Amino acid sequence: MSEIGSKNRAISEASRYLYAILLIIQNNQEGVRIILQSGMNVTRSFMAYFWCLPAQLFMWSLVWRRSEIAEDATHVDFLITVSVFDAVAWGIFAISIYLIMVLASAEKLAAPMIIATNWFNLFATYVFFIPATMNYILPLGDDTAMIIEFVIYITIVGLYFRVVRHMLGNHKLFAFALTLVNVASSIFISSFIYSTV
């Protein structure tokens, strides 16, 4: 396959999954069908991580600039470190989803849930990119920026719950538990990153 053909395939794939995620967010079961009929390639769903990198690196650069981290680590070293942590976090999320599905005797749903989660992460990353960019360009105060980021974070968690609920066939309690585990894992990993770098 040529390099251009490979890039076109990657763009087409990302577009298809993002479209599916947006449909699910709108309570449209067609999005679930798209994911279930996608061939279930869990490995390829981690390509979403690389699509996230530009926005992630920009947001982590802002963190580096406005914190005391800049005194202890060079910009490049910091970005490499947090990128590795982010990649590990994606792996941890996937493993936690798989284990929860196995414990719930719903192993057949593990692959579609991991795929949906990975591509939802791409959607969420670029939604978070909006306030980060606003905070960089506009003279927003720290309190205003924090409120905006918190509101968007809560909204993203709510949307993820909706995606999980639809992927699990509208099992709300199961979806809530899975969402809670991923949110708790995300908070723990973020705290670990800040305490390590």
Side-chain angles (χ1 to χ4, degrees):
M1 182 181 293
S2 68
E3 184 177 348
I4 294 177
S6 180
K7 286 181 179 178
N8 287 340
R9 179 190 174 191
I11 292 171
S12 175
E13 186 176 49
S15 300
R16 184 173 72 253
Y17 281 112
L18 280 177
Y19 177 63
I21 294 298
L22 290 174
L23 287 176
I24 298 172
I25 286 172
Q26 297 172 57
N27 292 318
N28 189 329
Q29 287 296 119
E30 176 66 13
V32 175
R33 188 190 67 78
I34 291 172
I35 291 176
L36 292 177
Q37 295 182 355
S38 65
M40 295 303 193
N41 195 325
V42 174
T43 304
R44 283 196 63 80
S45 72
F46 284 93
M47 287 300 296
Y49 168 79
F50 297 100
W51 286 105
C52 289
L53 268 180
Q56 288 280 40
L57 292 175
F58 174 78
M59 291 187 286
W60 279 120
S61 291
L62 295 183
V63 170
W64 182 82
R65 285 187 178 190
R66 62 180 190 237
S67 70
E68 296 177 359
I69 297 171
E71 299 176 3
D72 302 319
T74 67
H75 192 189
V76 174
D77 288 344
F78 173 73
L79 291 181
I80 291 172
T81 301
V82 294
S83 294
V84 170
F85 274 116
D86 279 338
V88 170
W90 280 55
I92 290 173
F93 293 154
I95 292 169
S96 67
I97 289 171
Y98 177 77
L99 292 176
I100 290 170
M101 293 301 172
V102 170
L103 291 173
S105 299
E107 188 174 344
K108 65 179 182 179
L109 293 174
M113 266 309 313
I114 292 170
I115 292 169
T117 297
N118 285 347
W119 290 105
F120 180 86
N121 285 341
L122 176 58
F123 164 79
T125 297
Y126 281 92
V127 170
F128 275 119
F129 181 74
I130 296 170
T133 304
M134 287 174 55
N135 193 27
Y136 181 72
I137 297 174
L138 302 176
L140 298 176
D142 289 342
D143 291 341
T144 302
M146 190 178 300
I147 291 171
I148 292 173
E149 289 175 3
F150 178 75
V151 170
I152 290 179
Y153 180 75
I154 295 300
T155 302
I156 288 295
V157 171
L159 293 177
Y160 180 66
F161 168 76
R162 180 176 293 184
V163 169
V164 174
R165 177 167 59 84
H166 282 292
M167 293 301 301
L168 296 178
N170 210 31
H171 292 291
K172 294 181 181 178
L173 188 59
F174 192 9
F176 177 78
L178 187 57
T179 302
L180 188 62
V181 167
N182 276 336
V183 169
S185 299
S186 177
I187 292 172
F188 173 78
I189 291 169
S190 295
S191 300
F192 185 73
I193 290 174
Y194 278 108
S195 64
T196 304
V197 296

